[in-house]
Amino acid sequence: MIWTSKLGIKVIVVDDALSSITGFVSARRSGETGGILIGRYSDDLSVATIESATGPGSKSLFGAFSFIRKTSGLQKELNCAFALGRYYLGEWHCHPGENHFPSRQDVRQMQAIARSKEYNCPEPILIVLGRDNPGELISTFAISNDKLVIFERGQF
């Protein structure tokens, strides 16, 4: 799956990563869940390829209308990815029903990640899925210069 912004930047999600995400959503029978996105950038930084997606950290908090991802258990996975030349690219999570757009809280969290030296990801990607049909109700966003960038869905 591929998404493109009006700026011409592309986000590619490989099938295995998308399958992982939809699997994590299905495994959690109700409420929200999420995880992190791992992958690579093209040499000119115009394409981000999401090669894998994790589930939530082991101490994450779940609610019917909320999800707070904790880092426990994820750092080891990130270290292994980094050794293979892959990086933290952003976050994913699902919303109840058909809602696949970020909330104000989601945008604020991504802006904080963009500013964080700890994350070292100045333009993090956010994928939001609607729980009712996560394979189809899916949207992709990024934060650039503290603003939300919307990506349009396309095909390979």
Side-chain angles (χ1 to χ4, degrees), residues 28 30-32 62-66 95-96:
R28 178 123 181 104
S30 64
E32 295 190 14
F62 305 91
F65 300 98
S66 64
H95 284 170

Side-chain angles (χ1 to χ4, degrees), residues 9-116:
I9 305 299
K10 294 183 181 350
V11 173
I12 297 170
V13 182
V14 301
D15 289 343
D16 286 347
L18 185 58
S19 293
S20 292
I21 291 169
T22 57
F24 288 120
V25 172
S26 295
R28 178 123 181 104
R29 303 238 182 254
S30 64
E32 295 190 14
T33 190
I36 62 174
L37 305 169
I38 298 171
R40 304 172 196 266
Y41 297 101
S42 62
D43 290 340
D44 66 357
L45 304 178
S46 67
V47 179
T49 302
I50 297 168
E51 298 175 345
S52 63
T54 74
S58 62
K59 295 183 181 178
S60 294
L61 305 174
F62 305 91
F65 300 98
S66 64
F67 169 71
I68 300 171
R69 183 188 54 72
K70 299 293 184 175
T71 58
S72 56
L74 297 177
Q75 190 60 54
K76 183 177 180 182
E77 195 163 343
L78 279 171
N79 291 346
C80 291
F82 188 77
L84 298 172
R86 298 173 17 191
Y87 308 95
Y88 168 89
L89 297 183
E91 306 279 325
W92 73 268
H93 71 271
C94 70
H95 284 170
E98 296 183 359
N99 179 6
H100 54 105
F101 295 97
S103 66
R104 288 180 192 203
Q105 181 178 338
D106 295 336
V107 173
R108 284 192 301 269
Q109 178 185 7
M110 297 307 290
Q111 288 169 328
I113 288 171
R115 292 187 292 263
S116 171

Side-chain angles (χ1 to χ4, degrees), residues 95-145:
H95 284 170
E98 296 183 359
N99 179 6
H100 54 105
F101 295 97
S103 66
R104 288 180 192 203
Q105 181 178 338
D106 295 336
V107 173
R108 284 192 301 269
Q109 178 185 7
M110 297 307 290
Q111 288 169 328
I113 288 171
R115 292 187 292 263
S116 171
K117 291 184 192 317
E118 215 171 87
Y119 280 90
N120 192 28
C121 187
E123 294 183 334
I125 297 165
L126 173 63
I127 294 178
V128 181
L129 302 91
R131 171 170 280 293
D132 283 358
N133 187 351
E136 291 300 318
L137 299 172
I138 181 170
S139 296
T140 301
F141 308 89
I143 297 295
S144 181
N145 296 318

